[in-house]
Amino acid sequence: GNSVTQMEGPVTLSEEAFLTINCTYTATGYPSLFWYVQYPGEGLQLLLKATKADDKGSNKGFEATYRKETTSFHLEKGSVQVSDSAVYFCALAMEYGNKLVFGAGTILRVKS
Amino acid sequence: GAGVSQSPRYKVAKRGQDVALRCDPISGHVSLFWYQQALGQGPEFLTYFQNEAQLDKSGLPSDRFFAERPEGSVSTLKIQRTQQEDSAVYLCASSQLLRANYGYTFGSGTRLTVV
């Protein structure tokens, strides 16, 4: 079946450090890929998405590139802030599907 | 409304009690989804509505779980005879589109604790 694997956390970084959170997927077909973020006490928010191979999604300084050859969608940010501390979820949805399949989430903690 | 609203925000239930969780989607959104998020895990799909029709309920873990959306707007997730393993955050999401691959808007969830 379709699945998403994320790097385990927590990831702890100092402010202004470079961030990478790895995400790989298994899917039959050509999924759309997403990163959602969950701040403490809040619901999931869509951070960015990519719908086909080589697409780059970007938002709020975060970016991720859909790599079909490595079945990956790694999240990156050049300089993290304390306010980026949250749980990040990678997810996929099939082209004609009606559900998102999520990874287990990665906790990010940024220290000042 | 401006976003997806869920109530109650927190619910404590005694084992064996029935509970009902409410979701108010964004006005006009056709699609509505329920997800279950266990502690430390990613959300898992429970069920999907397109207007009032429940098109997919493959993720409901047992026949104790029941969802409805009778008028194509507000939805209720009901859990009968709650068990400790039902403790989780229940997330509702809605979308104006029919396909999940466009992403959708989540509510803040209802945290259910069964004691």
Side-chain angles (χ1 to χ4, degrees):
Chain A
N2 302 324
S3 66
V4 174
T5 302
Q6 290 181 236
M7 65 187 288
E8 288 192 25
V11 174
T12 303
L13 297 172
S14 297
E15 209 164 18
E16 299 184 3
F18 184 86
L19 168 71
T20 300
I21 300 179
N22 290 339
C23 170
T24 58
Y25 68 89
T26 301
T28 52
Y30 304 100
S32 295
L33 301 174
F34 304 83
W35 278 100
Y36 279 83
V37 58
Q38 189 172 37
Y39 297 102
E42 298 184 17
L44 290 162
Q45 299 176 23
L46 178 63
L47 181 59
L48 54 85
K49 69 177 183 181
T51 57
K52 61 183 189 296
D54 299 325
D55 269 2
K56 178 184 286 188
S58 61
N59 185 26
K60 299 180 181 180
F62 291 89
E63 59 182 35
T65 301
Y66 189 140
R67 300 288 188 199
K68 183 182 171 185
E69 61 276 12
T70 55
T71 62
S72 65
F73 193 56
H74 303 322
L75 182 69
E76 297 181 336
K77 187 176 185 183
S79 176
V80 293
Q81 305 301 312
V82 172
S83 57
D84 294 326
S85 299
V87 184
Y88 291 81
F89 293 92
C90 186
L92 67 80
M94 299 311 297
E95 183 176 6
Y96 296 105
N98 54 40
K99 66 186 74 169
L100 285 168
V101 176
F102 286 89
T106 303
I107 297 172
L108 172 64
R109 297 181 179 139
V110 181
K111 304 181 299 184
S112 59
Chain B
V4 178
S5 178
Q6 292 188 246
S7 60
R9 189 69 192 272
Y10 302 94
K11 175 71 178 177
V12 177
K14 291 184 178 179
R15 194 161 55 109
Q17 185 180 353
D18 296 351
V19 299
L21 312 180
R22 177 186 171 103
C23 173
D24 281 89
I26 293 173
S27 178
H29 276 196
V30 171
S31 298
L32 187 144
F33 309 81
W34 284 98
Y35 282 77
Q36 181 189 57
Q37 185 177 14
L39 187 64
Q41 300 296 316
E44 294 197 357
F45 173 83
L46 293 177
T47 188
Y48 162 62
F49 290 85
Q50 187 180 120
N51 296 309
E52 67 279 4
Q54 188 175 21
L55 299 185
D56 187 344
K57 53 182 181 179
S58 62
L60 295 176
S62 77
D63 59 8
R64 296 186 294 105
F65 286 71
F66 172 77
E68 60 183 5
R69 193 186 184 197
E71 298 178 357
S73 178
V74 171
S75 177
T76 304
L77 176 67
K78 296 178 180 178
I79 309 173
Q80 297 177 323
R81 305 181 303 282
T82 52
Q83 303 295 314
Q84 283 193 318
E85 62 262 28
D86 300 334
S87 295
V89 176
Y90 291 85
L91 297 168
C92 178
S94 70
S95 172
Q96 59 185 340
L97 301 170
L98 301 180
R99 305 268 185 239
N101 59 344
Y102 296 104
Y104 30 78
T105 304
F106 281 87
S108 297
T110 294
R111 181 178 295 278
L112 173 65
T113 303
V114 181
V115 297

